Amino acid sequence: MDSSDNCQLSTVNYQLNKTLLVILGPTGVGKTNISLRLAEHFGCPIVSSDSRQFYRELKIGTAAPTIDQLDRVKHYFIASHSIFDEYNAGQYELDAIQLLDELFLSHNVVMLVGGSMMYIDAVCNGMDNIPTVDAETRTFWQKQFAEKGLEYIQNELKRLDPKHFEELDQQNPKRILHALEICSMTGKPYSDLRTGERKQRNFNIIKVGLNRPRPELYERINTRVDEMMTEGLLKEAEQFFQYRHLNTLNTVGYKELYEYMNGNWTLDFAVNMIKQDSRRYAKRQLTWFNRDKEIYWFEPMEEEEVIEFVNNKITSK
RNA sequence: GGGCAGUUACCAAAGUGGCCAACUGGGGCUGACUGUAACUCAGCUGUCUUUCGACUUCGGAGGUUCGAAUCCUUCACUGCCCA
């Protein structure tokens, strides 16, 4: 995979010649295919920023690259973890940056491909130094919420971190709980740890966004779900039925099938819900990406155009 | 051919004389989101308007009434039952 022969750069400003090519876009848009061709063109490896393709147990439902595709280009962060592992965006930032440092030793271009918004931002912008929440703290606050309700945790956060309480979505239990977890773990207000600073990376970043007209995107998502079902998604999900409460299985394509296995939904209904939830996920991705003014969008997406665009970008640096 | 029931916004479904541009759910749209994030949460959803508000709607046409999605007449269509 390592076709690069580009280590002839001066050590002084080598980092200026290093480029992270980010390929992002909504689920189902066709990132995998086009990025394989781009990777072959640029002779570069692919680092995945898909927070569900990390998990080796989730292949069909996450539309992970196939063995053949993995043979074509060296991939990282595909099937690198187990659904039983604890993993998060903060850890991913550290792992990915370390990996990129290594890869840039022998490549001028590395690609970051995926649709997990926060994970992409973690690599490009960095995240604040906030500790990972331990199990006891998590359980404690979850229990508080379950027993005492939303208003109680709202008031707790108002007390522990009034500044952050004013800023966050006060109806969103997950956000409140996380802030509380950090407050009680660190003994400091969560807002004190949030700098909002953007980390400086020692490589250039080019962000390419892929999109399609909404109806076309939705059509692709729908047919892809049908294909997943014929490929055996039900069987894949079934294997981990007893672990369905794991966060890693709270994932489109799996959680709906567990409703079916629990007897709450018919299979037909569950499949339709997978399609619907996938469409909604795609929309959420687009909403997030729309905020990022650094993305160069391609719609319709033409491989040749992207290659030409990236080539121009790289040589003009 | 006869009887009964029904026709409400994208779909489903309330409303049965003024509090109705019309409950609710779904879908759709828009947005928030720095660590469980393919999660979680919010707003909008007849038209025009930034707001106030104005305008046009509840199968079609006509009528009663100060006033109708709601009452009457008639036509059309749909469903069930009897022939």
Side-chain angles (χ1 to χ4, degrees):
Chain A
M1 299 310 118
D2 237 321
S3 65
S4 56
D5 48 358
N6 34 31
C7 299
Q8 69 279 61
L9 303 146
S10 81
T11 45
V12 180
N13 58 358
Y14 87 94
Q15 62 268 47
L16 290 178
N17 295 292
K18 302 298 176 181
T19 299
L20 182 68
L21 173 57
V22 182
I23 303 290
L24 54 83
T27 188
V29 78
K31 293 186 291 294
T32 302
N33 258 320
I34 198 166
S35 62
L36 281 167
R37 298 214 207 99
L38 290 171
E40 285 169 337
H41 175 89
F42 292 111
C44 68
I46 289 178
V47 178
S48 173
S49 56
D50 184 309
S51 71
R52 295 298 133 140
Q53 290 181 1
F54 295 164
Y55 301 110
R56 53 179 151 270
E57 294 89 347
L58 314 182
K59 282 188 164 51
I60 299 171
T62 61
T66 61
I67 307 257
D68 287 348
Q69 291 174 323
L70 294 173
D71 273 346
R72 282 168 61 188
V73 174
K74 176 71 181 169
H75 280 72
Y76 298 90
F77 287 107
I78 297 289
S80 52
H81 293 74
S82 160
I83 54 170
F84 302 105
D85 294 340
E86 297 251 333
Y87 205 58
N88 60 50
Q91 190 56 49
Y92 173 74
E93 177 192 350
L94 302 178
D95 295 345
I97 291 299
Q98 188 186 357
L99 172 65
L100 288 175
D101 281 344
E102 287 166 23
L103 293 175
F104 279 131
L105 254 27
S106 53
H107 295 83
N108 276 345
V109 178
V110 174
M111 288 173 67
L112 185 76
V113 179
S116 298
M117 305 84 89
M118 193 159 57
Y119 287 69
I120 295 169
D121 285 354
V123 172
C124 296
N125 306 332
M127 299 182 78
D128 287 326
N129 191 22
I130 288 165
T132 295
V133 178
D134 60 58
E136 297 92 299
T137 308
R138 174 141 296 163
T139 314
F140 172 78
W141 284 108
Q142 269 172 350
K143 206 169 157 220
Q144 298 296 301
F145 174 49
E147 289 171 1
K148 301 175 186 172
L150 180 62
E151 203 179 334
Y152 174 78
I153 58 170
Q154 285 171 333
N155 287 328
E156 281 299 282
L157 186 60
K158 209 181 289 182
R159 186 169 67 80
L160 294 170
D161 190 350
K163 180 163 177 278
H164 188 63
F165 180 76
E166 284 311 312
E167 289 167 355
L168 65 29
D169 178 356
Q170 300 176 358
Q171 296 303 115
N172 191 329
K174 284 232 174 167
R175 300 285 127 84
I176 295 176
L177 285 171
H178 184 247
L180 285 170
E181 288 164 354
I182 300 303
C183 289
S184 65
M185 272 187 67
T186 62
K188 285 188 271 191
Y190 179 47
S191 51
D192 280 10
L193 302 170
R194 287 162 56 90
T195 67
E197 274 168 26
R198 186 171 173 163
K199 288 181 192 162
Q200 195 57 46
R201 299 306 190 195
N202 63 349
F203 45 81
N204 300 302
I205 296 174
I206 299 175
K207 291 177 184 169
V208 166
L210 305 178
N211 200 191
R212 295 169 185 272
R214 195 68 61 87
E216 185 185 322
L217 177 65
Y218 283 6
E219 194 48 46
R220 283 177 60 99
I221 288 172
N222 293 163
T223 55
R224 191 172 74 164
V225 171
D226 289 330
E227 285 163 15
M228 287 174 178
M229 288 305 291
T230 61
E231 284 167 28
L233 178 57
L234 186 59
K235 207 165 247 167
E236 184 172 273
E238 226 159 28
Q239 289 177 267
F240 307 105
F241 180 69
Q242 61 172 310
Y243 305 113
R244 62 190 175 285
H245 300 300
L246 287 175
N247 173 59
T248 44
L249 289 173
N250 185 195
T251 297
V252 176
Y254 300 86
K255 59 181 176 184
E256 298 86 354
L257 290 176
Y258 294 138
E259 292 295 325
Y260 158 67
M261 292 174 209
N262 274 325
N264 300 134
W265 295 350
T266 66
L267 184 57
D268 258 15
F269 187 82
V271 170
N272 280 325
M273 287 309 291
I274 296 175
K275 293 175 182 174
Q276 183 175 313
D277 288 340
S278 299
R279 282 181 250 128
R280 286 175 163 171
Y281 173 51
K283 169 58 183 132
R284 270 180 275 127
Q285 290 174 298
L286 288 169
T287 298
W288 183 297
F289 294 143
N290 279 154
R291 274 195 308 193
D292 189 340
K293 300 307 174 200
E294 294 170 1
I295 300 171
Y296 297 92
W297 287 98
F298 287 81
E299 178 189 342
M301 25 188 283
E302 290 296 334
E303 182 192 337
E304 297 308 322
E305 277 180 42
V306 177
I307 289 177
E308 194 189 330
F309 170 81
V310 174
N311 269 142
N312 287 339
K313 272 283 182 191
I314 292 174
T315 53
S316 71
K317 295 243 165 178

